[in-house]
Amino acid sequence: MLAYEDGPAAMDWLIEAFGFEEHARWLDNDGRLTHGELGLGGELVMLASGPPGYQSPNSLKVNYGPAAEWMSVPHVVNGVMVRVPNLDAVLASASGIGAEILSGIEEGFPGRRFRAADLEGHRWFFLESSD
């Protein structure tokens, strides 16, 4: 479950950037995302708009000095791992929409993988599945 400053925009972006399929989108009367579900490669991710005052990783990086330091590394710090059948396609799509690519495709244990940050700075670890 991930919180976003703008949940509906995040859902749209994740669908376009990483190839997720929308499974559910529930909005409140103010248009805030109360619950969203996205699927990819047999995996399911849930997300919502954060509570009042919530700050995304990108906002924390700007507003809280230590966050800029821990986000200066290309590793996934508090993120999501998703197994995908076609890593190259996900990377091409993510790059095409402007995702921050934290590492290009790497080979070796635990498999072909890359890391990216989304529009609000959440970090994603994509691992190619052999299924």
Side-chain angles (χ1 to χ4, degrees):
M1 180 75 160
L2 294 172
Y4 285 87
E5 291 176 15
D6 186 340
M11 284 190 75
D12 295 338
W13 191 93
L14 292 167
I15 290 165
E16 188 173 349
F18 297 146
F20 280 99
E21 295 178 359
E22 184 173 322
H23 288 247
R25 182 185 300 230
W26 302 332
L27 304 176
D28 66 14
N29 292 336
D30 296 324
R32 294 176 46 79
L33 183 67
T34 59
H35 180 80
E37 294 179 3
L38 297 174
L40 179 66
E43 307 283 341
L44 183 68
V45 175
M46 293 182 281
L47 55 144
S49 296
Y54 169 77
Q55 291 186 6
S56 69
N58 281 347
S59 292
L60 284 174
K61 187 167 49 172
V62 171
N63 298 325
Y64 179 64
E69 183 177 348
W70 75 61
M71 291 180 69
S72 68
V73 300
H75 310 293
V76 174
V77 178
N78 297 332
V80 181
M81 186 196 81
V82 181
R83 294 180 190 273
V84 297
N86 186 335
L87 193 69
D88 297 290
V90 175
L91 177 59
S93 178
S95 297
I97 194 172
E100 179 184 0
I101 305 303
L102 301 169
S103 68
I105 291 179
E106 299 171 339
E107 307 282 343
F109 184 80
R112 290 185 81 227
R113 66 214 176 260
F114 81 92
R115 298 170 196 88
D118 67 26
L119 76 166
E120 289 194 16
H122 291 288
R123 293 187 172 205
W124 298 81
F125 180 92
F126 291 96
L127 179 67
E128 190 167 70
S129 64
S130 57
D131 300 343

